[in-house]
Amino acid sequence: MDPKTSAASSTNPKTGPPTSADPKAGAAIGEDPKAGTATSTDPKAVTATSAGSKVAAAASADPKSGTASTTDPKAAAAAGADLKAGAAGPKAGDPAGAKADPATPGEKNGEDKKATPPGRRRKSKLPSTRPPGAPPDPWTAFAETSERAPGRIRRATRATGRGLIHEYALVVYGSLLLAVLLTWPTLRYPLHTFPQDNWDPSRQAWQVSWAGHILITDPARLWQSNAFFPEAYSFAFGNSLLGYAPAGMIGEGPLAAVLRYNILFVLAHALLAIGGYALIRQLGAGRTGALVGAVAFAYAPWRLAQEGHLDIISAGGIPLALAMLARGHGWSMRYGFRPDRRHAGWAATGWIIATWQVSLGFSLGLPFAYVLGAIFVVVAAAVLVRRLRRRSPRPVLGWRLLVTDGLGLLIFAGVGAMIALPYLRVPDTGPAGTEIKFFSPPLRSLLIGPAESRIWGAPHAVPRESLGWPAEMALLPGFVLYAFALVGLVFSVWRIWQRLILLAAVILGVLLTLGTTFFDGRWTYLPLFGHLPASFGVRIPGRLMVWVTLLLAILAAGAVAEFVRRAEHLAAHRMPPWPGPWLRLATLIPLLLVLVETWNATAHPVVPDQPASMRTVTGPMLVLPTAGLTDQTVMLWSTSRFQQVANGSGGFAPQRQSELRRSVAAFPDAASVQYLRALGITTVLLLRSEVTGTPWERAGDVPVDALGIRREDLDDNSVVFRLN
């Protein structure tokens, strides 16, 4: 027997198992042209064979034998070669020792260098083995074919679909639906009713209309409104609501103003829930905990007493701005700073929202500015300490975030200062300290619900009567919220030191909310707000309840999130996981309890119809009767022509308004006519339908020939007096 074929399939009795002694066999395993199959005992072949996927036999067809395999050592190096060479070795008819491209790490186990994009089928690179002239292989019909990449329209459609079902998209849908339901029947008759009363909503509907109208026609006259004639900077007699000016550019007249107000009213409630959810979620609570906290924050019972104040309801920008700033800086209360999640774009969005929030008014904007200032100081100190300790070679924030924060802070402060200038120039302003003492609530007010609450309104009627000003002192945030917040002190996803900080912040917020009730406010409210003019609208300490409610909601969300986490953990370790859907429904019980306390009994009175004469008579004019409340309806009626009217009322009314009403109480007489002419008022419009029970009940029938004025009766039962 030939020594080269000693490894044939027959067993040699002297050597035992058949092995090949040919050192050239290498790693090849196959059939010698002269003998049967053979195996190699070459050390290299053993090593190569034991290497698994790195060794593969390169099969080829020998010219002398049909199924022989090469024994050339070079064939062993063909393991893991590119798919162009084929997993079966060289083509038929090639020499047994044909070279192959060396393998690369990305091509192990027959993988191609380039990864196949998701959703695409990789085109086969195996060479064709069909001899020329042979019929086509019928199995090629089932071969893999390449697929065209999706076009721009398909990619945009997929991205849109993913966006429509994103977590925050669902939050927006749910918040809008919840706002419609929990403020019902605001949108039942949105053209003809106002929530709570007709007074402050009428004035604020006029404010939004005026801002939108004047920014289109004559922006330089923004602060010189058509009301309170001839007062200067009259648009600063209350929170300006400038952030809603774009909405005021749509539509005209009282009906459009009423509809616009009701839509903004509902959207403001939705933004409260969206902002609360975004902040609590960013801090690290789960979805259920964030949902409970957001609803408790947005629809706390004390807010029901503020339903007539759009400027106070519009607080959703506060938590939303804080959420965007925290996300932009990669910070979470539960997980700390995560540099890989920093993004200057989110931080810029946070500063934009914060600036918009301040533009709505200083009642909430000024305390928000104090909070942002405190946060800025704390973060700056922490960054400085971290840099001095050199704890990390990387920048703490990065130059992009530093530039974004610097510009954001400058824009925020600049816009706030520009809006504040007219408020500082308002005449007859003085320190708000005297009014702060009157509106400061007692500690028991935190347990008393407002009359607009369907749950606590009637049961708390007696204790509510003991309050000096119940509309601003019934400050119950919800007993359910209190309960969850207390549980959150001992059972929460937040760390124990974080809970203690939240508790301290709640106590500080309560002390500020009490105004001068706590040690006369010398160390709490007055140093921050007592020195400001009354026109800034910070004379009511109870409105700081928005911060107490937000902190309580964060504590409560921590407790709910921990309950949900443990419930899911318990269910996951049962075989089978039980109770499944029932457990998830049980986690929504806290949400249902919070919703019960938000049930409102808010009135929706019908808005008085605009007299036809208000669409024709020009100014400067005075509309009679005039009073602190009815003047706000006159301001709403003036949105058709925005003629100058001496009527006006609001959160801050100058002393001249009181003097005006006293001076015209006997109109028409010589003294009142002379007084009105001195003010530049040329027309007086008397509404007979409104004068019953007022000093002007018989003014339309008094002779005026001796006064040098003219009287004209109009078709809508109104009387016009021409003073010039």
Side-chain angles (χ1 to χ4, degrees):
M1 183 178 292
D2 194 334
K4 294 181 180 181
T5 60
S6 59
S9 58
S10 60
T11 306
N12 192 325
K14 295 181 181 181
T15 60
T19 58
S20 174
D22 189 359
K24 296 180 180 181
I29 301 175
E31 185 178 77
D32 192 273
K34 300 179 181 179
T37 57
T39 58
S40 173
T41 58
D42 189 278
K44 297 179 180 179
V46 174
T47 304
T49 305
S50 63
S53 61
K54 295 182 180 181
V55 177
S60 67
D62 192 275
K64 298 181 181 180
S65 57
T67 58
S69 59
T70 183
T71 59
D72 188 76
K74 296 179 180 179
D82 190 271
L83 289 174
K84 294 180 180 180
K91 297 181 181 179
D94 285 352
K99 293 184 179 181
D101 294 335
T104 59
E107 298 170 333
K108 295 179 182 179
N109 297 326
E111 294 179 2
D112 194 6
K113 293 181 181 180
K114 298 180 180 179
T116 304
R120 295 186 59 187
R121 305 175 67 183
R122 182 169 52 84
K123 184 178 180 180
S124 175
K125 295 185 179 180
L126 292 176
S128 174
T129 58
R130 182 169 61 87
D137 186 359
W139 297 102
T140 57
F142 301 95
E144 294 180 348
T145 58
S146 60
E147 200 175 283
R148 292 183 61 184
R152 294 182 179 179
I153 296 179
R154 184 180 297 180
R155 291 197 302 270
T157 303
R158 291 177 179 177
T160 303
R162 289 192 297 268
L164 291 176
I165 60 174
H166 190 271
E167 174 187 350
Y168 282 97
L170 298 178
V171 169
V172 171
Y173 308 150
S175 298
L176 290 173
L177 178 60
L178 203 62
V180 172
L181 294 177
L182 296 184
T183 60
W184 191 260
T186 298
L187 295 184
R188 185 178 183 181
Y189 303 109
L191 289 169
H192 306 287
T193 62
F194 273 136
Q196 197 172 57
D197 57 53
N198 285 328
W199 316 130
D200 286 332
S202 295
R203 173 178 54 86
Q204 293 180 335
W206 163 81
Q207 285 178 294
V208 178
S209 300
W210 168 259
H213 161 76
I214 202 63
L215 289 178
I216 293 177
T217 57
D218 189 4
R221 290 186 54 237
L222 171 63
W223 298 102
Q224 315 298 331
S225 75
N226 70 307
F228 298 97
F229 180 85
E231 295 287 348
Y233 303 104
S234 54
F235 194 58
F237 295 169
N239 287 323
S240 65
L241 295 175
L242 272 178
Y244 290 142
M249 300 176 183
I250 304 173
E252 59 183 16
L255 288 180
V258 174
L259 175 62
R260 186 187 303 117
Y261 180 92
N262 286 323
I263 293 176
L264 291 175
F265 177 79
V266 175
L267 292 179
H269 283 83
L271 186 60
L272 281 169
I274 294 170
Y277 183 92
L279 177 60
I280 298 173
R281 194 81 169 90
Q282 174 63 29
L283 293 179
R287 294 183 179 89
T288 306
L291 185 60
V292 172
V295 174
F297 168 71
Y299 300 98
W302 71 271
R303 289 190 185 279
L304 297 176
Q306 302 290 337
E307 297 289 69
H309 302 137
L310 182 61
D311 53 335
I312 306 304
I313 296 298
S314 301
I318 293 176
L320 187 60
L322 294 176
M324 297 298 100
L325 290 173
R327 183 167 184 174
H329 291 76
W331 183 80
S332 170
M333 191 165 74
R334 189 173 179 182
Y335 306 107
F337 278 102
R338 290 177 286 184
D340 58 316
R341 299 201 174 190
R342 295 183 311 198
H343 197 288
W346 288 114
T349 304
W351 285 112
I352 292 172
I353 297 174
T355 304
W356 174 80
Q357 178 65 51
V358 169
S359 71
L360 295 177
F362 288 114
S363 294
L364 299 179
L366 194 60
F368 182 40
Y370 283 147
V371 172
L372 284 180
I375 294 175
F376 184 84
V377 170
V378 171
V379 172
V383 170
L384 180 62
V385 170
R386 192 178 183 89
R387 292 294 297 170
L388 292 176
R389 291 184 177 182
R390 300 180 183 274
R391 296 178 59 182
S392 174
R394 297 180 57 188
V396 180
L397 294 179
W399 67 269
R400 290 184 179 179
L401 267 180
L402 290 176
V403 171
T404 301
D405 288 340
L407 291 177
L409 185 62
L410 287 176
I411 294 174
F412 176 83
V415 171
M418 290 178 60
I419 297 176
L421 287 177
Y423 287 86
L424 296 174
R425 296 176 180 177
V426 166
D428 300 326
T429 59
T434 55
E435 294 190 12
I436 290 175
K437 186 174 182 179
F438 173 78
F439 285 111
S440 295
L443 183 60
R444 66 179 182 276
S445 64
L446 299 175
L447 301 175
I448 301 175
E452 292 79 4
S453 173
R454 195 172 294 274
I455 300 299
W456 304 116
H460 291 176
V462 174
R464 194 166 50 247
E465 291 178 356
S466 66
L467 301 176
W469 193 260
E472 297 287 355
M473 294 183 181
L475 302 178
L476 174 68
F479 289 110
V480 174
L481 182 58
Y482 277 143
F484 286 142
L486 288 175
V487 173
L489 292 175
V490 295
F491 180 81
S492 177
V493 295
W494 315 129
R495 296 180 179 88
I496 183 64
W497 63 270
Q498 294 171 337
R499 298 176 223 167
L500 294 177
I501 291 178
L502 288 173
L503 177 61
V506 169
I507 295 174
L508 177 61
V510 169
L511 295 181
L512 290 173
T513 302
L514 296 180
T516 59
T517 302
F518 182 78
F519 287 106
D520 293 331
R522 289 191 301 268
W523 312 106
T524 54
Y525 197 88
L526 292 181
L528 295 175
F529 306 103
H531 60 283
L532 297 173
S535 57
F536 274 68
V538 292
R539 67 194 189 282
I540 304 178
R543 293 176 176 177
L544 289 182
M545 197 64 191
V546 63
W547 294 97
V548 177
T549 308
L550 182 59
L551 293 169
L552 290 174
I554 295 173
L555 273 174
V560 175
E562 178 66 10
F563 168 70
V564 173
R565 188 186 68 84
R566 294 199 181 189
E568 291 179 347
H569 179 76
L570 177 64
H573 283 74
R574 297 183 66 92
M575 296 300 293
W578 180 88
W582 296 107
L583 180 60
R584 292 190 176 276
L585 288 176
T587 59
L588 296 178
I589 292 178
L591 176 62
L592 297 177
L593 294 176
V594 170
L595 286 173
V596 168
E597 274 197 307
T598 65
W599 195 7
N600 76 85
T602 304
H604 285 76
V606 177
V607 180
D609 292 333
Q610 180 194 36
S613 54
M614 288 294 297
R615 298 191 293 270
T616 58
V617 179
T618 59
M621 59 186 294
L622 170 67
V623 180
L624 296 177
T626 175
L629 295 179
T630 59
D631 276 5
Q632 300 184 72
T633 303
V634 173
M635 296 164 74
L636 174 65
W637 289 339
S638 71
T639 54
S640 292
R641 298 177 58 96
F642 288 105
Q643 64 267 55
Q644 292 177 314
V645 295
N647 305 75
S649 181
F652 167 73
Q655 294 180 357
R656 189 174 295 178
Q657 292 301 110
S658 300
E659 179 184 347
L660 170 67
R661 296 181 183 112
R662 290 195 304 267
S663 300
V664 299
F667 182 88
D669 65 345
S672 60
V673 170
Q674 183 179 359
Y675 175 81
L676 293 175
R677 284 174 174 170
L679 293 179
I681 297 174
T682 60
T683 305
V684 175
L685 177 64
L686 178 70
L687 304 177
R688 290 182 181 272
S689 60
E690 306 291 334
V691 296
T692 303
T694 70
W696 302 279
E697 188 170 2
R698 300 183 58 84
D701 302 322
V702 176
V704 296
D705 295 338
L707 300 175
I709 63 177
R710 292 177 290 112
R711 185 178 65 193
E712 179 183 356
D713 292 328
L714 302 180
D715 295 337
D716 63 346
N717 200 26
S718 301
V719 181
V720 175
F721 296 89
R722 308 290 183 179
L723 306 186
N724 52 1

